[in-house]
Amino acid sequence: MATGQLFSKTTQALFYNYKQLPIQRMLDFDFLCGRETPSVAGIINPGSEGFQKLFFGQEEIAIPVHSTIEAASAAHPTADVFINFASFRSAAASSMAALKQPTIRVVAIIAEGVPESDTKQLIGYARANNKVVIGPATVGGIQAGAFKIGDTAGTIDNIIQCKLYRPGSVGFVSKSGGMSNELYNTIGRVTDGIYEGIAIGGDVFPGSTLSDHVLRFNNIPQVKMVVVLGELGGRDEYSLVEALKQGKINKPVVAWVSGTCARLFKSEVQFGHAGAKSGGEMESAQAKNQALREAGAVVPTSYEAFESAIRETFEKLMEEGKITPVKEVTPPQIPEDLNTAIKSGKVRAPTHIISTISDDRGEEPTYAGVPMSSIVEQGLGVGDVISLLWFKRSLPRYCTRFIEICIMLCADHGPCVSGAHNTIVTARAGKDLVSSLVSGLLTIGPRFGGAIDDAARYFKDAYDKGLTPYEFVESMKKKGIRVPGIGHRIKRGDNRDKRVELLQDFARTNFPSVKYMEYAVEVETYTLSKANNLVLNVDGAIGSLFLDLLAGSGMFTKQEIDEVVGIGYLNGLFVLARSIGLIGHTFDQKRLKQPLYRHPWEDVLYTK
C-alpha cells in the first residue's frame, strides 16, 4: 500500500468501459481546478478503437479509445490510475489486468457485487506489488483542486458548494460514497475544506481499508486533521484503533461509526452495503465508537454532533497556528451544455434539419402522425405507407392500391434494359448489393424510366390550356421535344403494352375521373397516325393517371399538384419499383456465381 499522496494536479487516468457522464464530470472538474491537461488520457472499450469527443472547458477534445488495457497502457505511459466502470461480471478480470501493467499504480473498482474470492486475489496482488485498490462498490475519491475519480462529489454545483475546486486541510475517508458527498459538504462548511477524500466502498472486503488511508494522510504534510466515517459490520475500524494506540497517527482524528440505530431492531438488519451487517457485539457501531474514543480519536455522542466535533477540532488547530487559512479563489464558470441550457430555457438554438413526415421521439415511430402499430393493426399496405411518407396524408384505398400496382408493374423489365444491365455487370464484378443497385439506378433519367414526371407535366399543361392533341403534338415538334410518355421500342399499335392496359382498366373502374388519361389516349390516337410505334407507354400511362389520382381524390390543391409533379414524386415511383428488380438481378447473378462480365468483341464496331 502506498504511504503518501495518491493524486496530483498532473495525474492522468485510463477509463475502462466508456461512460460519457462520469468522464465529462472529471473533465469539468479539471477545468474548474485550472488543470492544464485533461485527467482522462485514454478510454478502454473492449473491441472498439478510435476517439470520443468530449469537452475540456469550452474546447472540444478527442480522447483516444483503445480496445485493450495493454494497448492503452502502452499508449499512455504517464497514466497511472485505472478507473474501472466494468460490470461486476468482468470487473475483477479487467482490474487484475490493469494491476499487472507496470504503469498502473491505483485501480478504482466502481461495480458492486464483485465476488469476494476475486476481490481477495486483487487485494493480495496489489499489496504484494505496492499498488492501491479503491473499491469495489465505490464512488471513488478526490484530491481537491487536482483530480477526481468518476462521479465522486456529484455535480459541479455540489463541488463548488463543498469548495473542492481548491485544496483544504482535511483528509477524509469513508466506506459510503453517498455519505462522502454529505461529509464533503459538512467539512466544507465548518473547515477550510477537503485535501483528499476517499470512499473505500461498502463490500465486506474492500481493496484498501480505512486505516490504510488514514496512515497515508498522516504522511501528507498538507493534511492537518483526519475525518473518518465508518459503519457497523466488519472489523476494519479496529485496525485504525490499533494504529492510534501504537502512536502511528499523530494528527487529530474525528471519527463516527454509523449504524447505532441497529440495536433498536429485534433481529439483525442489513444496512445497504454488503458489509453493513453486524456479526456480533464487536461489529456494532457502539462498540467501534467506544474503541475509537478510547484510542484517542474525537468521537461525538451522535451523528448530529459530528459536525460540531469537526468544527471544534479545526478551530483548535487554527488557534494553535497549525493551520494557515486557505486563500479563497473564484473558480471559473463551467460552460453549460447546449442541451441543458435549452431545456432550462436559457438559450435558443436553431435546428439544422426540418422533418415533417416522421417522428421517432415517442414510444414508437410515427409516419405523418400515424403510429406504426396503428398501420400494422389496420392492415395497411406499402401504398398506404407511401401515401403517409410522400404525401403526408392517408389517401383513399383505391389511390394506395394504384400506387402498389404501379410498383408491381414497374419492378422489372428484363435483363436487357440499361439499369438491369448495369446492375448485372456490377454484381458480376464482385461488388456488394448497394453498389450494384446504385449502378443500375444511376441510369434512370429522361431516356430510361425517368419520363413519368415529364409526361405528367406536359399532358397537364396541354390539357389545362385546352390544346387539341394535334396542337399539342405539333407544338412539341416545333420545339424539337419528343412527347414524353409516347413511343416504345418494341410495342406497336397492334401490340399494346399489357401494363398500360391493366392500369387503364383499374383507373376506369375505380377513379372518380380519368380526364387526363383520356386526353393521353387521344394524343396516342394522333401519334399512331404518324407511326405505329408511337403508343402510350407505361411512363405516359402512370403520369397521366397520377394526375387523375391527385385531381380526382379531392385531397390536393392545384398548387400541391404542381409541386408534386415539379419535385419529382412520380419518378420516385419508378425508382422505388425498379429497385426491387435491380436487387433481384444482383441476387440472381451472385446465386449463379457468374464471372466478371466482358463485352464480346463481335458486338463492338471498331473504327477510326
Side-chain angles (χ1 to χ4, degrees):
M1 176 73 187
T3 56
Q5 191 164 307
L6 292 182
F7 314 120
S8 71
K9 211 164 187 174
T10 58
T11 296
Q12 285 194 299
L14 298 177
F15 195 103
Y16 188 88
N17 197 19
Y18 176 71
K19 297 284 188 292
Q20 191 269 341
L21 187 56
I23 297 177
Q24 188 58 64
R25 283 180 169 175
M26 289 178 67
L27 298 175
D28 287 345
F29 180 72
D30 296 342
F31 181 75
L32 198 68
C33 299
R35 282 184 59 124
E36 294 183 2
T37 55
S39 60
V40 180
I43 298 166
I44 303 161
N45 237 20
S48 299
E49 292 183 344
F51 294 88
Q52 283 288 353
K53 296 193 301 178
L54 294 128
F55 283 99
F56 184 59
Q58 206 159 11
E59 179 188 0
E60 194 170 24
I61 61 173
I63 297 181
V65 177
H66 305 276
S67 60
T68 66
I69 294 170
E70 293 76 13
S73 299
H76 309 284
T78 59
D80 59 2
V81 178
F82 184 83
I83 301 172
N84 195 345
F85 266 76
S87 72
F88 71 91
R89 298 176 188 85
S90 59
S94 48
S95 295
M96 182 61 79
L99 286 171
K100 290 181 178 179
Q101 302 305 309
T103 54
I104 298 298
R105 192 170 47 87
V106 179
V107 172
I109 307 171
I110 310 302
E112 296 184 45
V114 177
E116 292 177 3
S117 59
D118 292 340
T119 303
K120 289 178 181 179
Q121 290 182 21
L122 293 171
I123 294 170
Y125 186 90
R127 291 192 181 279
N129 291 274
N130 195 34
K131 298 194 176 189
V132 179
V133 174
I134 302 173
T138 181
V139 71
I142 186 169
Q143 183 169 324
F147 176 85
K148 88 180 185 88
I149 294 171
D151 291 317
T152 301
T155 65
I156 287 297
D157 288 341
N158 189 63
I159 287 170
I160 293 173
Q161 184 89 18
C162 300
K163 305 175 185 175
L164 293 169
Y165 52 84
R166 52 86 174 141
S169 303
V170 181
F172 171 74
V173 62
S174 165
K175 287 187 176 181
S176 168
M179 288 304 296
S180 293
N181 286 351
E182 181 70 25
L183 265 294
Y184 291 150
N185 191 285
T186 299
I187 293 168
R189 286 201 313 272
V190 300
T191 73
D192 62 0
I194 290 288
Y195 184 80
E196 184 184 319
I198 298 289
I200 66 170
D203 278 3
V204 177
F205 298 101
S208 51
T209 65
L210 297 172
S211 59
D212 287 336
H213 293 286
V214 173
L215 289 169
R216 275 198 315 102
F217 295 157
N218 197 63
N219 295 327
I220 300 174
Q222 296 91 331
V223 174
K224 305 301 183 182
M225 63 178 284
V226 178
V227 175
V228 179
L229 180 64
E231 63 186 24
L232 83 164
R235 302 197 176 190
D236 189 11
E237 288 81 1
Y238 288 104
S239 61
L240 177 56
V241 169
E242 290 304 311
L244 286 165
K245 286 182 177 179
Q246 293 170 15
K248 294 180 179 180
I249 302 166
N250 53 31
K251 296 178 180 179
V253 175
V254 183
W256 176 253
V257 179
S258 297
T260 53
C261 64
R263 287 184 176 176
L264 299 175
F265 298 94
K266 294 180 180 180
S267 59
E268 193 172 60
V269 177
Q270 178 81 48
F271 285 85
H273 294 149
K277 182 177 181 181
S278 180
E281 178 57 30
M282 279 194 69
E283 295 186 10
S284 68
Q286 285 84 348
K288 292 181 179 183
N289 280 325
Q290 184 60 31
L292 285 165
R293 187 180 292 113
E294 291 173 355
V298 178
V299 181
T301 56
S302 66
Y303 179 79
E304 286 73 17
F306 198 21
E307 179 176 327
S308 297
I310 296 169
R311 177 192 290 110
E312 290 166 7
T313 302
F314 177 78
E315 289 176 350
K316 183 179 180 182
L317 290 171
M318 288 277 288
E319 291 171 5
E320 294 172 353
K322 294 180 180 179
I323 292 180
T324 303
V326 174
K327 183 180 179 181
E328 277 299 340
V329 295
T330 302
Q333 181 73 35
I334 299 290
E336 193 168 12
D337 288 341
L338 181 60
N339 288 340
T340 304
I342 291 174
K343 286 180 180 178
S344 63
K346 293 180 180 178
V347 299
R348 55 190 181 191
T351 55
H352 297 91
I353 292 176
I354 301 174
S355 177
T356 63
I357 64 171
S358 62
D359 193 336
D360 59 346
R361 294 171 298 175
E363 292 185 5
E364 61 175 316
T366 60
Y367 295 164
V370 179
M372 190 174 290
S373 59
S374 176
I375 294 170
V376 175
E377 289 165 359
Q378 293 179 50
L380 302 182
V382 171
D384 299 285
V385 171
I386 292 172
S387 78
L388 291 171
L389 291 178
W390 291 17
F391 302 103
K392 293 173 55 180
R393 64 203 76 188
S394 293
L395 296 174
R397 182 55 188 154
Y398 76 85
C399 296
T400 60
R401 179 58 183 158
F402 175 76
I403 292 172
E404 291 168 355
I405 292 172
C406 291
I407 292 172
M408 290 188 288
L409 295 180
C410 296
D412 192 54
H413 204 187
C416 298
V417 296
S418 60
H421 180 80
N422 262 25
T423 289
I424 289 169
V425 171
T426 307
R428 289 178 61 167
K431 300 291 284 184
D432 61 276
L433 170 63
V434 174
S435 300
S436 302
L437 170 63
V438 170
S439 69
L441 291 176
L442 287 173
T443 65
I444 296 175
R447 297 183 181 180
F448 170 60
I452 301 177
D453 282 314
D454 284 342
R457 189 178 301 113
Y458 282 111
F459 282 142
K460 182 177 186 301
D461 183 64
Y463 178 86
D464 291 350
K465 287 180 177 178
L467 298 180
T468 65
Y470 167 81
E471 292 171 333
F472 170 51
V473 175
E474 294 304 320
S475 67
M476 294 288 282
K477 183 179 179 180
K478 288 180 181 178
K479 297 174 186 175
I481 302 173
R482 293 181 178 181
V483 179
I486 295 291
H488 203 285
R489 289 189 63 184
I490 299 173
K491 297 301 178 180
R492 298 289 186 270
D494 54 356
N495 179 27
R496 300 297 180 90
D497 191 331
K498 187 66 176 176
R499 297 176 298 173
V500 173
E501 293 177 348
L502 289 169
L503 290 169
Q504 290 175 333
D505 289 345
F506 179 86
R508 289 190 175 104
T509 303
N510 295 281
F511 280 25
S513 168
V514 288
K515 62 182 182 181
Y516 288 106
M517 185 200 76
E518 297 296 0
Y519 181 74
V521 171
E522 292 175 12
V523 171
E524 178 193 46
T525 302
Y526 178 72
T527 56
L528 281 173
S529 68
K530 291 177 169 291
N532 199 34
N533 70 326
L534 295 180
V535 293
L536 183 68
N537 60 36
V538 73
D539 289 350
I542 292 175
S544 59
L545 284 171
F546 229 101
L547 291 173
D548 288 323
L549 182 152
L550 296 170
S553 68
M555 299 184 70
F556 297 87
T557 65
K558 182 181 182 302
Q559 181 180 354
E560 286 176 327
I561 295 173
D562 290 339
E563 187 177 59
V564 165
V565 174
I567 288 175
Y569 275 56
L570 309 188
N571 279 351
L573 268 182
F574 185 84
V575 171
L576 175 62
R578 193 50 58 93
S579 293
I580 299 171
L582 298 179
I583 290 171
H585 284 295
T586 301
F587 291 155
D588 189 42
Q589 296 303 306
K590 291 186 178 294
R591 183 172 54 247
L592 295 171
K593 297 180 174 58
Q594 290 296 285
L596 179 68
Y597 175 82
R598 179 179 172 84
H599 205 72
W601 288 333
E602 58 269 23
D603 197 38
V604 177
L605 173 63
Y606 292 93
T607 184
K608 293 182 180 179

